[in-house]
Amino acid sequence: MTARTISPEAPIGVFDSGVGGLTVARAIRDQLPGESMIYVGDTARTPYGPRPIAEVRRFALEILDDLVEQGVKMLVIACNTASAAVLRDARERYAVPVIEVIGPTVRSAAAITRNGRVGLIGTQGTIQSRVYDDFFAMRPEITLTAAACPRFVELVEAGETSGPEVHRVAAEYLAPLVAEHIDTLVLGCTHYPFLRGALRQVVGPDVALVSSDIETANEVFQTLTELGLLRPASAGEPMLRYEATGADTDAFVDLARRMLGIGIEAVDRVQTGTIQLPHEL
């Protein structure tokens, strides 16, 4: 199948390990309010960060396969860990365009930095994959200092985005980056924008915070435009569907509403297709 055989009226498929990718989904909605979208959060198996890359790859391909079966016209991997694990495979495996969150974020950070000292925070899996190092290697004048922040996803998924404990954890994780006098900080996980206030307190007002949501949405817009796949206005009201693999869909709705202001009426529990879930979660 080529881009010419993909229907512009088909939805965009967005995938994350949990609720963090909703930041990307919201940015896409802001830029492309007429587009239909299916969002899948793998809430039964979040977080991905501590898991082996091979396991993340299997999980991610299961969900991406399912989205393709649902007839999406584009895949957006709104998860840094999953992007690191499956990006090359996904672009070879699927006929629809695949957008990830790492490349757009790196390009933005490289354009913003003034002193060439860039900090990166991400999950254990993202940092260990060194995928950001590979992207930044094309800009040898930039020095990258990375730190894994394993507790951040846990805090966000629990709805804890501020307070003394969040500030203490952030200060501990970011100390090596601050010591390197970074002027740009890449938030290498789609959950991390929820912690922007605490991160800003730690690094100070002169450090630019670069997250993947807006940059990824820009790339989605550009790619759909170049391929002639923008949804026509004559197609009517766009369809929005939210799916989660975990049993507690109410928690998903609550987090989305409280932390992003997204009014999600319902979340479908994914139990069919290529995703096989245990009976009790």
Side-chain angles (χ1 to χ4, degrees):
M1 182 167 57
T2 67
R4 290 183 180 177
T5 64
I6 301 171
S7 171
E9 297 186 21
I12 298 168
V14 183
F15 153 60
D16 183 49
S17 63
V19 300
L22 287 171
T23 57
V24 175
R26 182 176 66 173
I28 294 172
R29 287 285 296 151
D30 287 345
Q31 287 205 37
L32 296 163
E35 292 291 338
S36 293
M37 185 183 305
I38 302 173
Y39 179 95
V40 180
D42 193 5
T43 51
R45 302 180 290 201
T46 195
Y48 278 6
R51 294 182 181 275
I53 286 292
E55 187 174 44
V56 172
R57 178 182 179 277
R58 178 167 61 84
F59 291 167
L61 291 177
E62 284 178 359
I63 293 179
L64 295 172
D65 283 351
D66 191 75
L67 281 168
V68 169
E69 286 188 4
Q70 292 187 61
V72 300
K73 65 180 177 183
M74 169 183 280
L75 292 167
V76 179
I77 308 174
C79 172
N80 283 260
T81 307
S83 292
V86 303
L87 179 57
R88 184 175 293 118
D89 292 334
R91 286 183 169 159
E92 293 175 354
R93 185 182 183 99
Y94 305 115
V96 298
V98 179
I99 305 297
E100 44 78 32
V101 292
I102 297 173
T105 309
V106 168
R107 288 190 287 273
S108 179
I112 288 171
T113 182
R114 304 175 305 280
N115 67 4
R117 295 175 179 268
V118 175
L120 165 68
I121 53 175
T123 66
Q124 198 74 41
T126 297
I127 301 303
Q128 288 181 345
S129 74
R130 300 186 66 84
V131 65
Y132 274 92
D133 299 74
D134 293 341
F135 272 90
F136 274 109
M138 294 180 285
R139 296 292 298 270
E141 74 277 13
I142 292 176
T143 300
L144 182 67
T145 304
C149 305
R151 286 202 59 200
F152 278 175
V153 171
E154 170 192 327
L155 289 167
V156 170
E157 293 281 345
E160 298 180 40
T161 59
S162 62
E165 177 63 8
V166 173
H167 186 274
R168 184 193 67 78
V169 172
E172 179 182 332
Y173 285 151
L174 293 171
L177 282 64
V178 172
E180 291 296 323
H181 305 291
I182 62 169
D183 75 348
T184 305
L185 178 64
V186 173
L187 312 188
C189 175
T190 50
H191 285 70
Y192 293 179
F194 293 114
L195 302 170
R196 187 180 293 270
L199 298 173
R200 170 63 65 208
Q201 279 188 305
V202 172
V203 300
D206 295 330
V207 175
L209 304 184
V210 181
S211 59
S212 56
D213 47 1
I214 295 173
E215 286 77 15
T216 303
N218 289 340
E219 188 132 331
V220 168
F221 180 88
Q222 181 179 339
T223 301
L224 290 178
T225 301
E226 290 175 351
L227 295 177
L229 290 175
L230 287 171
R231 189 170 183 268
S234 60
E237 194 70 19
M239 175 273 295
L240 299 176
R241 185 160 74 243
Y242 299 90
E243 301 175 347
T245 58
D248 193 358
T249 55
D250 288 342
F252 184 104
V253 171
D254 181 60
L255 276 172
R257 184 176 293 118
R258 283 192 296 110
M259 301 170 70
L260 276 172
I262 295 178
I264 297 176
E265 294 182 3
V267 176
D268 299 324
R269 188 179 181 217
V270 183
Q271 182 102 34
T272 58
T274 56
I275 304 173
Q276 302 299 322
L277 301 179
H279 294 297
E280 298 296 333
L281 293 172

